[in-house]
Amino acid sequence: MINFDKMIDNHVAREFRAKAIGRYYPSEIGSCLRKVWYSYKFPQEVEPALAKIFKLGDIMHDFVVDVLKSEKNSEVELLKSEVSLKKEHKDFLISGRLDDLILVKESGKSWIVEVKSTKNVDYVKKADPKHVMQLQFYMHAAGIHNGMVLYVDKTNLKSKIFPEQYSEEKAAEILERFSQLHSLLTQNLLPIAEAKKTEGMGWMCRYCEYEEKCGQNQT
């Protein structure tokens, strides 16, 4: 008999490409800076379990696009989907892709929609700071100052929306965070164990592929 689990692993497997210092991604900047630093200095192939999670996210976004395009939902218009954004800042490049751009017809305003899947939307009480950072960068780079993080439950398709207004102050903080990452990478300086030392970030360590390496560097 065929091994369909193995077939899925083969299908979702991603080509391994080491990341280049000087090119950074909005989806990562809200994570622990030490983890991001490790991902440049000690790149690892994406494990099958994580590749499947990424694929489920893609499938969920495709579903959201279908909902936004549906003639049954005339209150919104999908203007663009999967929009590539690049911004040069100082001596490096920030490269990302916003999920969706919609027009809310009642207000006549355009909104950036950042789509995230979740195991149980009932436990989502506010937008994850990582996702807010990502959205704030997209609003800054696109010049569109209305955004929302949309969470969709993978088990029952229930959803929650968290609107986010653009903040110049937050955008400046995010750009400074990119600058800090670039400086640490180019000088080969290990960042502090941010997730271990920052309230509300400790949970990231449980899912970090560099947890053992990080534990060997107790700074």
XYZ file of all heavy atoms in Angstrom, residues 57-67 82:
95
model
N -1.690 26.961 6.538
C -1.881 28.411 6.485
C -2.189 28.891 5.084
O -3.048 29.746 4.883
N -1.490 28.321 4.088
C -1.750 28.673 2.690
C -3.172 28.274 2.278
O -3.865 29.030 1.589
C -0.741 27.979 1.769
C 0.676 28.496 1.945
O 0.840 29.600 2.494
O 1.618 27.775 1.540
N -3.572 27.074 2.699
C -4.917 26.603 2.365
C -5.977 27.501 2.992
O -6.974 27.858 2.346
C -5.098 25.145 2.840
C -4.208 24.207 2.015
C -6.558 24.711 2.751
C -4.131 22.796 2.560
N -5.742 27.904 4.236
C -6.699 28.775 4.915
C -6.779 30.131 4.224
O -7.871 30.697 4.057
C -6.306 28.944 6.378
C -7.347 29.664 7.215
S -8.914 28.778 7.284
C -8.450 27.366 8.286
N -5.636 30.645 3.787
C -5.661 31.938 3.098
C -6.401 31.835 1.773
O -7.150 32.744 1.397
C -4.250 32.469 2.873
C -4.236 33.769 2.136
N -3.690 33.921 0.887
C -4.777 34.982 2.461
C -3.863 35.163 0.482
N -4.516 35.825 1.412
N -6.206 30.744 1.055
C -6.948 30.544 -0.202
C -8.458 30.563 0.055
O -9.224 31.125 -0.736
C -6.553 29.217 -0.851
C -5.136 29.233 -1.413
O -4.585 30.335 -1.595
O -4.592 28.143 -1.652
N -8.869 29.958 1.169
C -10.290 29.959 1.532
C -10.771 31.380 1.818
O -11.857 31.793 1.370
C -10.522 29.063 2.746
C -11.906 29.153 3.310
C -12.980 28.550 2.672
C -12.147 29.857 4.479
C -14.268 28.648 3.183
C -13.426 29.960 5.005
C -14.492 29.352 4.351
N -9.974 32.141 2.557
C -10.350 33.525 2.869
C -10.485 34.347 1.591
O -11.415 35.156 1.452
C -9.323 34.161 3.833
C -9.555 35.669 3.960
C -9.413 33.501 5.205
N -9.581 34.147 0.648
C -9.666 34.848 -0.640
C -10.982 34.512 -1.339
O -11.662 35.400 -1.876
C -8.467 34.487 -1.541
C -8.693 34.971 -2.973
C -7.191 35.103 -0.983
N -11.363 33.250 -1.327
C -12.634 32.847 -1.940
C -13.816 33.548 -1.273
O -14.760 33.978 -1.948
C -12.814 31.327 -1.847
C -11.887 30.562 -2.776
O -11.369 31.179 -3.728
O -11.688 29.352 -2.546
N -13.765 33.670 0.041
C -14.832 34.345 0.774
C -14.891 35.823 0.394
O -15.970 36.380 0.141
C -14.633 34.187 2.296
C -15.630 35.062 3.071
C -14.791 32.730 2.721
N -2.019 38.638 -1.955
C -0.613 38.252 -1.943
C 0.247 39.315 -2.646
O 0.899 39.053 -3.665
C -0.423 36.873 -2.582
C -1.142 35.765 -1.816
C -0.836 34.386 -2.349
O -0.292 34.282 -3.459
O -1.137 33.417 -1.649
